[in-house]
Amino acid sequence: MLHLLLQIAASGTTLVLLGTGTPRPDPDASGPATAVVVGNRTFLFDAGPGVMRQLAAAKLPINGVAALFITHLHSDHTLGLPDLIFTSWVMGRQTPLVAFGPRGLRAMTDHIIEAWKEDIAIREDGLEKEVPGGYRVSAREISTRVLYDSAGVRVLAIPVEHGDWTEAYGYRIETPGKVIVVSGDTRPSAALEAAARGADILVHEVYPEGRLAPEPRPGGQSWPAYMRAFHTSDVEVGRLAAAAKPKLLILNHIVRMQGTDEELLAGVKRGGFTGRTVIGHDLERY
Ligand SMILES: [Zn+2]
Ligand SMILES: [Zn+2]
């Protein structure tokens, strides 16, 4: 009986918003990173700047995660990757970091390791005596839909459309307790909408439709066209969620352009979604 209860407790699923920010260095919103914790396994989605400190703040493992899934190679989603690779090693990681992502991820991780080769030599050969090779990454460029399927957890790649990027992904995470879908960066995506049907939680990027205007800077004329090609407005998220009907919609990676929470929530309603919607903040758990 106790064994059964422990098993049930171990299969509980928690979503932790580690970083809800954008490229803007907001001290209150760390770079994009989302954790799904199932028992003693932590699955990490994106490695934006600050990811290691946010893992520590959330009391999640700082010596390696079960697997990392990168949505796309934009810098705001990957600047924490060197931190994740090297700090988790220094904090005790001994096995390769399993990292899934789009084509180009392997070259990126190879270059990161090359860039820090002097650090690696000092830590391995000097008096720190770190575990040789403990920094390694097993980079897996996505070629199948099901990326992870083990002990009751499945992670599926959802190809999304993010402007000029040839590859960008959202992810659907199925656990014994919950179905969670994270959008990554995307314009309104039919594939994501299908993947989010009936999900317990949809974490979606957003910007306020009503604030979209050319920016007063060289090249700023194309800002609205950029946003429409690369991102999803509050009204569009509302439309998508009205079709997919998640039990909870979390707005994340908010390109605010001075828009308020109230405006964003009203935009979602205008799009047709009347279900539970919240603005995501760093270190919240669901
Ligand atoms: Zn982004
Ligand atoms: Zn992006």
Side-chain angles (χ1 to χ4, degrees):
M1 184 64 188
L2 181 63
H3 183 66
L4 184 67
L5 285 174
L6 285 173
Q7 260 189 348
I8 291 167
S11 67
T13 299
T14 307
L15 170 77
V16 187
L17 301 177
L18 294 174
T20 58
T22 65
R24 177 173 296 279
D26 178 350
D28 297 322
S30 198
T34 304
V36 173
V37 184
V38 187
N40 58 12
R41 285 177 290 174
T42 295
F43 301 92
L44 181 61
F45 298 86
D46 280 334
V51 62
M52 282 305 303
R53 275 156 178 76
Q54 295 299 86
L55 282 168
K59 302 206 164 25
L60 293 176
I62 54 171
N63 63 347
V65 293
L68 166 69
F69 301 84
I70 295 285
T71 60
H72 65 298
L73 299 182
H74 249 151
S75 58
D76 54 320
H77 298 251
T78 51
L79 281 167
L81 191 52
D83 193 8
L84 189 69
I85 291 171
F86 295 114
T87 307
S88 65
W89 173 41
V90 173
M91 292 298 114
R93 181 165 69 88
Q94 302 187 7
T95 53
L97 170 68
V98 174
F100 295 90
R103 214 173 315 126
L105 177 66
R106 193 167 298 132
M108 180 179 272
T109 54
D110 285 350
H111 283 116
I112 289 169
I113 287 165
E114 175 67 15
W116 267 272
K117 66 181 177 194
E118 292 192 42
D119 170 272
I120 292 170
I122 295 282
R123 289 186 195 277
E124 286 187 343
D125 305 336
L127 290 173
E128 285 158 288
K129 302 288 175 210
E130 300 296 354
V131 173
Y135 58 85
R136 286 201 182 104
V137 179
S138 173
R140 302 173 188 187
E141 297 182 348
I142 293 170
S143 60
T144 55
R145 187 165 153 75
V146 179
L147 304 177
Y148 182 97
D149 188 354
S150 177
V153 177
R154 289 210 316 162
V155 181
L156 291 83
I158 318 296
V160 295
E161 292 152 71
H162 187 36
D164 299 324
W165 288 95
T166 52
E167 269 187 68
Y169 295 96
Y171 292 103
R172 176 180 162 105
I173 307 104
E174 302 169 350
T175 80
K178 281 192 182 106
V179 172
I180 297 170
V181 174
V182 297
S183 71
D185 284 9
T186 180
R187 67 171 175 251
S189 157
L192 192 83
E193 180 187 307
R197 288 245 158 88
D200 292 282
I201 304 176
L202 169 61
V203 183
H204 206 295
E205 67 125 271
V206 71
Y207 69 86
E209 177 99 53
R211 299 278 172 167
L212 199 54
E215 291 198 323
R217 61 172 170 91
Q221 271 305 114
S222 59
W223 180 251
Y226 157 75
M227 289 301 288
R228 286 196 198 95
F230 281 70
H231 295 290
T232 304
S233 77
D234 44 13
V235 176
E236 291 167 334
V237 175
R239 210 171 288 144
L240 185 145
K245 298 186 176 59
K247 294 192 185 80
L248 170 64
L249 170 64
I250 301 177
L251 302 179
N252 185 44
H253 192 282
I254 301 170
V255 180
R256 279 209 176 254
M257 302 181 285
Q258 271 92 53
T260 64
D261 289 358
E262 291 69 30
E263 274 176 64
L264 288 160
L265 294 170
V268 168
K269 277 221 173 83
R270 223 164 40 250
F273 185 62
T274 53
R276 188 175 165 224
T277 308
V278 298
I279 306 282
H281 301 98
D282 283 20
L283 301 177
E284 284 176 349
R285 289 168 182 259
Y286 294 91

